Amino acid sequence: MGRPQNPHPPRSFFPFGNPFRMKSPKGSHMSPQLLVVLQAFEATLAERLRKLMPKSKDEILSLSWMTLAMKSLCETHNEIGTLITDLELPVSEWDDKWIDVYLDISVKLLDICNAFSSEFSRLNQGNLPLKCALPNLDSASSKLSIRACSFLDEWTQHVHSRNPRIEKCSTILDNLVGSLDLPKVKNSAKGKVLMQALYGVKVETVFVCSVFAAAFSGSSKKLLDLNVDDMYSWAPAYRSLQNLVNEEVRVRFSSGKFTVLNELEAVDAFVKELYPTIQGGVDTVDTELLRKTVEELGRAAEKLSQGLDDLAKGVDGFFQAVLTSRDALLSSVRFNITVNDGVPGFHIDQKVVH
């Protein structure tokens, strides 16, 4: 199912026009050595994409699968950083415009990481009412059962709310889609290798981040369907992964679920089961059934909390990988750069000297 076409395509964040064109620079025929480097990079990317293929649809949007996806992104971005360093592109072969574009894209990715991290914090805050509710649910006191209902109400309202920072991810991702094509580079075979490798990095990044944004926003409209040409050896693996994951996410949302996150849905199901049971008082409740359900809720809440913590660490790793690849590019360029106040990690008139 394709993404509905917008008659007004998203505005690119490139003020000088999109510098990316699917054109091979003249005089940039790859040597056998460079071809081997590129093929090795693309083969590794294809293998990573294959490893992300869930064994069953039930694994899709489990926090463990999402953590694996983020780990894959970290590895890919770390590898592109290594590739930038290994290629040892001379300063004369870098184009200032697409250097700026790359740095701008990396800032967008850091913004997405911060948005995801804020969502993990928000969801973890929702665990606090659950932790308060659980001891009260174990009691036979009607007064305590009323308190438990209050805590469950608080949890429900909290997790059903939306994070405005996640909503902004869609705009950022649309802009990144506008930068997917390969840039036109000067007469440089090494530059061509780098641009083709970067294309694969950006495709995997946009895919994973769009799935995350859809899951956290509660809307399949955030999903992106990318068409990748067969000229890339990793294209079949990517299409299989994208088709399976996006289709399953859309199916889940079409069923009216407020969340497609497996662990969060499990907790929500137990809360919905418990609430009407204890709302009428605990005197007529099957105490053994209540105890069992409360234990299951406790385990589900712990699994959610642990899964969010693991995923948060994965996003932190991705954040660092993006910063590292930025440093690798700047180290290779070896030039003085002046950047705006708003770019993380830099200051006006900062000089990069190596």
Side-chain angles (χ1 to χ4, degrees):
M1 184 182 297
R3 184 186 178 92
Q5 295 298 314
N6 188 337
H8 301 289
R11 180 178 62 84
S12 173
F13 53 81
F14 311 129
F16 44 79
N18 188 356
F20 296 100
R21 299 291 184 269
M22 292 291 289
K23 296 180 181 179
S24 299
K26 296 179 180 179
S28 61
H29 298 293
M30 293 184 194
S31 66
Q33 292 85 352
L34 286 177
L35 191 58
V36 167
V37 169
L38 179 59
Q39 289 174 341
F41 180 90
E42 293 195 335
T44 301
L45 177 59
E47 182 59 26
R48 286 199 189 100
L49 294 171
R50 284 191 287 269
K51 287 181 178 179
L52 284 181
M53 278 293 289
K55 294 179 181 178
S56 72
K57 291 184 178 181
D58 292 338
E59 291 183 13
I60 297 174
L61 290 189
S62 65
L63 292 177
S64 59
W65 180 86
M66 295 174 76
T67 300
L68 182 64
M70 195 51 62
K71 179 182 178 182
S72 177
L73 269 192
C74 289
E75 292 173 348
T76 300
H77 278 260
N78 283 329
E79 188 171 355
I80 199 66
T82 301
L83 182 65
I84 289 173
T85 301
D86 291 345
L87 286 175
E88 297 180 343
L89 281 169
V91 175
S92 60
E93 295 187 6
W94 291 85
D95 185 303
D96 287 350
K97 285 185 177 179
W98 64 260
I99 290 172
D100 291 340
V101 167
Y102 178 82
L103 295 177
D104 198 4
I105 288 173
S106 65
V107 171
K108 301 297 182 185
L109 294 180
L110 297 179
D111 287 342
I112 289 176
C113 287
N114 287 331
F116 290 164
S117 295
S118 73
E119 179 66 4
F120 303 147
S121 297
R122 189 187 73 83
L123 291 175
N124 268 324
Q125 287 172 2
N127 271 343
L128 295 177
L130 278 184
K131 290 180 180 179
C132 294
L134 288 172
N136 294 297
L137 289 169
D138 270 337
S139 173
S141 166
S142 296
K143 182 177 180 180
L144 291 181
S145 70
I146 293 174
R147 290 184 61 188
C149 282
S150 177
F151 285 127
L152 294 182
D153 271 335
E154 184 180 345
W155 181 85
T156 300
Q157 292 173 14
H158 183 83
V159 298
H160 282 254
S161 63
R162 295 303 176 195
N163 184 346
R165 298 187 67 177
I166 292 296
E167 297 303 313
K168 295 179 181 179
C169 288
S170 181
T171 301
I172 297 175
L173 289 169
D174 282 340
N175 283 332
L176 291 178
V177 170
S179 75
L180 281 176
D181 287 344
L182 300 179
K184 181 180 179 181
V185 297
K186 295 178 180 178
N187 296 335
S188 168
K190 289 182 177 181
K192 184 178 179 181
V193 170
L194 179 58
M195 290 305 100
Q196 189 160 328
L198 276 173
Y199 177 75
V201 174
K202 287 185 287 184
V203 167
E204 183 186 12
T205 302
V206 168
F207 165 69
V208 171
C209 290
S210 74
V211 171
F212 279 37
F216 296 141
S217 69
S219 172
S220 61
K221 294 179 180 179
K222 309 297 182 184
L223 290 174
L224 295 171
D225 297 290
L226 305 178
N227 295 317
V228 178
D229 195 279
D230 285 330
M231 67 175 283
Y232 303 101
S233 60
W234 47 268
Y238 175 76
R239 280 195 296 270
S240 297
L241 177 63
Q242 176 182 258
N243 292 344
L244 177 64
V245 173
N246 284 5
E247 179 183 1
E248 177 61 18
V249 173
R250 288 187 172 105
V251 167
R252 293 188 190 183
F253 275 126
S254 67
S255 67
K257 295 180 180 179
F258 94 94
T259 181
V260 291
L261 295 172
N262 293 356
E263 290 81 357
L264 184 59
E265 183 185 16
V267 174
D268 187 56
F270 284 123
V271 169
K272 287 178 178 177
E273 180 180 347
L274 276 171
Y275 191 86
T277 301
I278 62 174
Q279 193 176 26
V282 296
D283 296 336
T284 59
V285 174
D286 183 331
T287 55
E288 180 60 25
L289 180 61
L290 176 63
R291 183 190 63 78
K292 182 179 179 181
T293 306
V294 169
E295 288 178 353
E296 290 175 335
L297 172 59
R299 285 193 292 269
E302 180 59 31
K303 186 176 181 180
L304 172 63
S305 179
Q306 184 60 56
L308 288 171
D309 288 344
D310 291 342
L311 185 52
K313 291 176 183 177
V315 170
D316 286 343
F318 179 45
F319 187 97
Q320 292 302 319
V322 172
L323 287 180
T324 299
S325 64
R326 283 169 60 94
D327 290 343
L329 182 146
L330 292 172
S331 297
S332 297
V333 175
R334 300 188 182 97
F335 74 114
N336 297 338
I337 184 172
T338 302
V339 294
N340 295 327
D341 267 328
V343 179
F346 291 89
H347 303 283
I348 289 179
D349 296 328
Q350 178 180 2
K351 180 179 290 187
V352 181
V353 180
H354 297 277

